[in-house]
Amino acid sequence: QVQLVESGGGLAQAGGSLRLSCAASGRIVSFNAMGWYRQAPGKQRELVARITRGTTTYADSVKGRFTISRDNAENTVYLQMNSLKPEDTAVYYCGAGYGQTLGYWGQGTQVTVSS
């Protein structure tokens, strides 16, 4: 069984930074795709960033501010979030998958950005 555990969320001021981490454990083989989604109150879950073995994809709203990276040896994915805005406030979920679809999900970590 695969488990994904996020960490690094919390409270930040606008313009500040946070770094999220997501570590996979359990029956692990190398994931092809890992990524971050977020869900704000009253809104649908949306893609923030995803990374496969060859490419990275970002939502337009975070391009230039957020950076996704991964450590394949540790099955860990990171999200460096800079120049945070109040509209970045959401629960951030880590996902992973062996193909293109993210089929495994973490419990989420709250990110709150104050103005």
Side-chain angles (χ1 to χ4, degrees):
Q1 185 175 359
V2 174
Q3 289 184 323
L4 301 176
V5 179
E6 302 103 335
S7 61
L11 178 65
Q13 291 187 333
S17 298
L18 287 172
R19 187 185 193 221
L20 304 183
S21 300
C22 173
S25 62
R27 290 189 62 185
I28 298 293
V29 295
S30 297
F31 291 117
N32 175 59
M34 301 186 78
W36 294 91
Y37 279 66
R38 67 186 181 188
Q39 188 166 18
K43 295 187 177 181
Q44 291 186 332
R45 189 176 296 192
E46 63 176 3
L47 170 71
V48 177
R50 59 178 279 148
I51 183 168
T52 64
R53 296 196 178 279
T55 61
T56 56
T57 303
Y58 294 94
D60 288 342
S61 59
V62 306
K63 283 181 181 177
R65 299 189 298 122
F66 291 9
T67 302
I68 189 170
S69 60
R70 65 188 290 176
D71 181 336
N72 290 326
E74 298 295 330
N75 278 299
T76 302
V77 64
Y78 305 95
L79 185 68
Q80 178 66 44
M81 305 186 294
N82 298 328
S83 302
L84 284 164
K85 303 177 180 180
E87 50 264 45
D88 294 320
T89 296
V91 178
Y92 284 69
Y93 296 92
C94 169
Y98 298 120
Q100 292 297 319
T101 301
L102 304 185
Y104 298 95
W105 294 95
Q107 293 298 307
T109 184
Q110 177 70 46
V111 171
T112 302
V113 183
S114 62
S115 57

